[in-house]
Amino acid sequence: MSTKLVQGLQKLNFPQEQIERLAPLMESYINELVLFNSAYNLVNTNDREEIAVRHILDSLSAARHIKALADERAALLGQEPVSAPANPGQEAVTVADIGSGGGLPGIPLAAALPQYNFVLVERMSKRCAFLENASAILGLKNVVVKNLELEKTPAASFDIATFRAFRPLDNKMLKSLLAVLKPGGFLAAYKARGSKILEEMGALGYAPQDYKSIALEVPFLTDTNSGDDRERNLVVISK
């Protein structure tokens, strides 16, 4: 098992019993990513430790913040707090991973937050096949895969939409992302440098008080180098 994966989960303050459940799942997921990477171009490396840090721990660095948004959304909907695993179709907050690709951040988040439903939205059918297979191997019953383009995704489908892989936001993309959210939903975007976020959001007409930018700590990434490429943030926009 990846040493950095286990140590990283500890650094992210996951409870020990959750680490014991989550670490083997993420190790299996890394195996699947490496096995199918050459065929589906899922991640930019086959190095298992690098995948663990730059993709798994990076995705999970926002888990507690996504959970806080989901809990807030559930409270607004009058739903009781839940801890038991959700099943697709069960009444629970639904989180979408838009442009899921190889399942990042959706699969790690779904494994860490089994009480919520996750929908992995991906336009490439071959990657959807990978996502369905990986979710089945990991036993993630709270995951559904949708072979759709963002623009063709039904409106008001999700409580929260998140993504890692998009280029900088533009007005057209932002409009499409907000359209798939239910009223009162949240957009949670994994981003890098704070200075770029200010520039990007300003171009979209957002003042700093119009959104929330949360600094993310990624073990073995943001804590080992002060370079700009090591900075990670989660940008939250309310609909």
Side-chain angles (χ1 to χ4, degrees), residues 22-44:
L22 194 54
L25 289 178
M26 293 300 94
E27 191 71 25
S28 295
Y29 179 41
I30 291 171
N31 290 340
E32 294 303 304
L33 287 171
V34 172
L35 180 62
F36 290 99
N37 194 32
S38 60
Y40 296 159
N41 191 27
L42 303 169
V43 289
N44 58 2

Side-chain angles (χ1 to χ4, degrees), residues 41-76:
N41 191 27
L42 303 169
V43 289
N44 58 2
T45 180
N46 282 328
D47 184 279
R48 293 170 185 270
E49 293 289 285
E50 190 171 351
I51 292 173
V53 173
R54 289 187 169 271
H55 296 290
I56 306 300
L57 295 178
D58 184 75
S59 294
L60 291 173
S61 68
R64 65 187 181 95
H65 304 295
I66 300 291
K67 180 182 183 299
L69 293 175
D71 288 346
E72 181 179 340
R73 182 70 181 149
L76 288 171

Side-chain angles (χ1 to χ4, degrees), residues 171 200-207 210:
N171 282 295
E200 188 175 321
M201 298 304 291
L204 293 169
Y206 283 87
D210 296 333

Side-chain angles (χ1 to χ4, degrees), residues 9 14 18 21-22 25-26 29 33 51 55-61 63 97 100 102-114 118 120 138 140 142-143 164 190:
L9 292 173
F14 282 95
Q18 190 171 8
R21 181 186 65 83
L22 194 54
L25 289 178
M26 293 300 94
Y29 179 41
L33 287 171
I51 292 173
H55 296 290
I56 306 300
L57 295 178
D58 184 75
S59 294
L60 291 173
S61 68
D97 176 14
S100 189
L104 298 155
I107 285 180
L109 289 174
L113 303 172
F118 282 78
L120 311 182
L138 270 59
L140 299 179
N142 60 328
V143 169
R164 282 176 86 235
Y190 286 70

Side-chain angles (χ1 to χ4, degrees), residues 208-225:
Q209 65 268 22
D210 296 333
Y211 62 94
K212 183 185 296 184
S213 184
I214 304 168
L216 298 176
E217 298 296 329
V218 182
F220 308 109
L221 184 68
T222 60
D223 57 353
T224 58
N225 190 306

